[in-house]
Amino acid sequence: MTDPVILAHGGAGAPNEDSDGPQHAADVAFRTLIDGQIDSALRAVVEAAVILENDERFNAGTGANCRLDGSIEMDAIVATSDGRIGSIAGIQRVRNPIRVARLVMDSPHVLLCGDGATQFAHHRGVPDDIPMTDRAAKRLATALERLKSGDVRPTEQKWRGRDMHGTIGAVARAHDGTFAVSCSTGGTSMMLPGRVGDSPIFGAGTMCGEHGAICATGDGEEIIRRLCSMRVYLRMAEGMHPQEACEIEVAAFPKPYTLGLIAVSHDAHGMAATDDKMARGMRD
Ligand code: GLY
């Protein structure tokens, strides 16, 4: 038996003052984590993610960013240490993508994308709903201004310093020593339609196995290139403390991109972010 713990974040770059959001999510989900029922780690990380998706300060679900064409496409994943994975990419017209990822986990597949993911969600009874907010519309206007100004070009260069990322996520360890991770995002602040970030890619935005669970946030393209969550996991598997494993990964992340990480192992946990900027919470 181990001590249960849950960590949640509201995205790299999300102001630390917004940590009341992930802290609330961790506090509520902790009750599920210790309820003594089956799959408590899995149910707790889904619950934490739903709470954060419903908080429009964060770029996921209700607060998701728009693509440059004004559409909203979202990515999400949930995974457990016994090898179950449910993932979706580029889903539209749902308010809680994490619930769809959880449904995919029980389907024959690991990852559904685009229209197929949206159809799957509605077919399985997830309400048809467009999660558009004033905040997302303002962010889109800012992104379009940057394109118009010539500061960035639409398809030909890396978009450095886009800032305003955001992703939400949670990692948990249950009494029985099992782990789970959830992650959900509206992407970044400037994106082409069809772009998929790190979040739904197992090993990149998340990792979960017998040695622990990791959730990443930040510049998705760079996180995919480096497989950040997998690298943290492999260090933990060698016995490194999760705090040190996260800090090494953040320090090695190429500038000016940003990275945030939360991680839990059998007997410890850790959190780190570029410039220490990441709304976060923890409950044990
Ligand atoms: N880390 C979220 C994204 O880049 O989509």
Side-chain angles (χ1 to χ4, degrees):
M1 284 299 193
T2 58
D3 292 332
V5 61
I6 181 162
L7 284 67
H9 74 74
N16 291 356
E17 305 84 71
D18 285 349
S19 288
D20 61 295
Q23 186 58 54
H24 172 67
D27 287 340
V28 172
F30 188 75
R31 294 199 287 265
T32 299
L33 188 61
I34 59 170
D35 70 6
Q37 306 297 311
I38 192 164
D39 272 340
S40 63
L42 171 61
R43 288 183 290 107
V45 294
V46 170
E47 187 172 17
V50 168
I51 291 169
L52 290 165
E53 283 179 339
N54 290 343
D55 185 333
E56 72 170 75
R57 288 176 295 174
F58 303 110
N59 172 20
T62 300
N65 285 341
C66 298
R67 308 272 152 168
L68 287 173
D69 65 353
S71 66
I72 292 180
E73 298 175 4
M74 299 160 286
D75 305 332
I77 187 169
V78 60
T80 60
S81 49
D82 61 6
R84 286 174 288 162
I85 304 172
S87 185
I88 48 157
I91 194 167
Q92 300 195 37
R93 305 181 74 100
V94 297
R95 202 161 274 275
N96 292 111
I98 200 71
R99 289 200 195 282
V100 188
R102 177 66 188 87
L103 291 169
V104 172
M105 181 182 260
D106 289 339
S107 82
H109 305 301
V110 164
L111 169 61
L112 293 178
C113 74
D115 288 347
T118 305
Q119 281 164 25
F120 170 83
H122 296 161
H123 180 72
R124 292 296 307 268
V126 176
D128 186 343
D129 198 357
I130 301 176
M132 174 61 93
T133 60
D134 289 347
R135 201 180 163 104
K138 279 193 194 123
R139 284 179 169 179
L140 173 62
T142 305
L144 292 175
E145 270 311 310
R146 286 192 67 192
L147 279 176
K148 250 201 282 180
S149 72
D151 176 29
V152 290
R153 295 192 302 276
T155 59
E156 299 152 29
Q157 62 173 173
K158 285 192 178 182
W159 289 337
R160 286 171 184 268
R162 285 170 291 185
D163 57 53
M164 300 190 297
H165 311 290
T167 293
I168 62 88
V171 294
R173 179 184 66 225
H175 248 313
D176 60 5
T178 58
F179 301 99
V181 58
S182 63
C183 186
S184 178
T185 186
T188 186
S189 58
M190 282 185 67
M191 312 165 276
L192 298 173
R195 178 262 187 190
V196 176
D198 59 297
S199 302
I201 301 177
F202 195 64
T206 56
M207 180 65 202
C208 194
E210 61 178 320
H211 299 291
I214 297 104
C215 182
T217 160
D219 279 285
E221 282 75 7
E222 297 306 318
I223 295 171
I224 295 169
R225 285 188 182 101
R226 292 179 63 82
L227 284 179
C228 290
S229 296
M230 177 61 88
R231 289 158 76 110
V232 172
Y233 182 83
L234 292 177
R235 288 189 196 105
M236 284 165 38
E238 285 170 358
M240 190 181 282
H241 193 289
Q243 184 62 36
E244 191 182 357
C246 290
E247 284 174 7
I248 289 174
E249 198 58 31
V250 168
F253 205 61
K255 305 275 177 296
Y257 302 111
T258 56
L259 173 67
L261 290 160
I262 56 175
V264 62
S265 69
H266 281 293
D267 51 8
H269 60 267
M271 307 183 176
T274 306
D275 300 328
D276 200 37
K277 268 189 166 165
M278 179 172 71
R280 66 195 91 173
M282 189 276 290
R283 177 73 192 273
D284 60 3

